Amino acid sequence: MKFSQYKEICQKGDSENYILDKYIYRKISIIGSIIAIRLGFSPNLITMLSLISSIGSLFFLCSNESINLWIGTLLVFAYHYLDHVDGEVARYRIYNGTLKKNLRGQYFDVLCHSYSINLMLFSTSFALSNLYDSNLILLLGLISFVGYSSFPNLVASKVMI
């Protein structure tokens, strides 16, 4: 199969909503998707790898040391990259009939999104609170964590759609 055929099957095309996704992640995620497809990885395995990347980033994001922040940033990038790959692999597997569309995979993906991003946000606020010796920053991070956690609404919306 040609590279362009993979892109047509796996990617959202014009229905992509986010600028970074459309112009950065989708340009490079197809390479990882093709590799994952050829290796026979399931979308849920890739989602699990993205979850491991995001959880791994938390330790590094809590630090104020330059090298740790770079490592944390790379792990956050890996999380987002793998998040695109898992969706592309799922679309490919649904297209070729080796996977049926189901809520279990979508639920797992949304669950990973909700908690990964919230924990990364809180870890960053923890680092900033230590850097500036301010409990207010930590409190604002906690409020952001809770406020941003709209997981039940996201799941309900997916089910209704």
Side-chain angles (χ1 to χ4, degrees), residues 71-128:
I71 294 169
T73 301
L74 289 173
L75 288 169
V76 169
F77 177 81
Y79 159 75
H80 284 288
Y81 181 82
L82 291 169
D83 177 52
H84 287 79
V85 171
D86 71 357
E88 291 176 359
V89 170
R91 280 188 282 283
Y92 177 83
R93 298 236 184 271
I94 290 167
Y95 173 82
N96 77 0
T98 58
L99 179 70
K100 290 184 180 180
K101 204 171 192 179
N102 64 63
L103 286 177
R104 186 177 52 213
Q106 290 179 341
Y107 180 83
F108 182 48
D109 187 55
V110 171
L111 181 69
C112 289
H113 282 294
S114 296
Y115 291 105
S116 292
I117 292 172
N118 290 345
L119 289 171
M120 284 184 239
L121 179 67
F122 185 71
S123 296
T124 304
S125 72
F126 180 81
L128 288 171

Side-chain angles (χ1 to χ4, degrees), residues 101 103 106-107 110 151-161:
K101 204 171 192 179
L103 286 177
Q106 290 179 341
Y107 180 83
V110 171
F151 176 69
N153 294 336
L154 289 172
V155 172
S157 299
K158 283 261 188 189
V159 170
M160 292 174 72
I161 290 174

Side-chain angles (χ1 to χ4, degrees), residues 6-58:
Y6 277 111
K7 283 183 79 164
E8 187 177 319
I9 294 168
C10 297
Q11 295 190 330
K12 293 179 180 179
D14 291 336
S15 66
E16 185 66 64
N17 296 334
Y18 303 106
I19 292 173
L20 283 176
D21 292 350
K22 189 172 191 172
Y23 295 107
I24 295 175
Y25 284 108
R26 293 290 179 208
K27 301 290 184 198
I28 58 176
S29 64
I30 193 66
I31 297 164
S33 299
I34 293 169
I35 292 168
I37 289 166
R38 291 188 178 169
L39 291 174
F41 288 1
S42 73
N44 284 343
L45 173 63
I46 300 164
T47 301
M48 179 61 73
L49 293 173
S50 75
L51 178 62
I52 291 168
S53 293
S54 71
I55 290 171
S57 74
L58 301 179

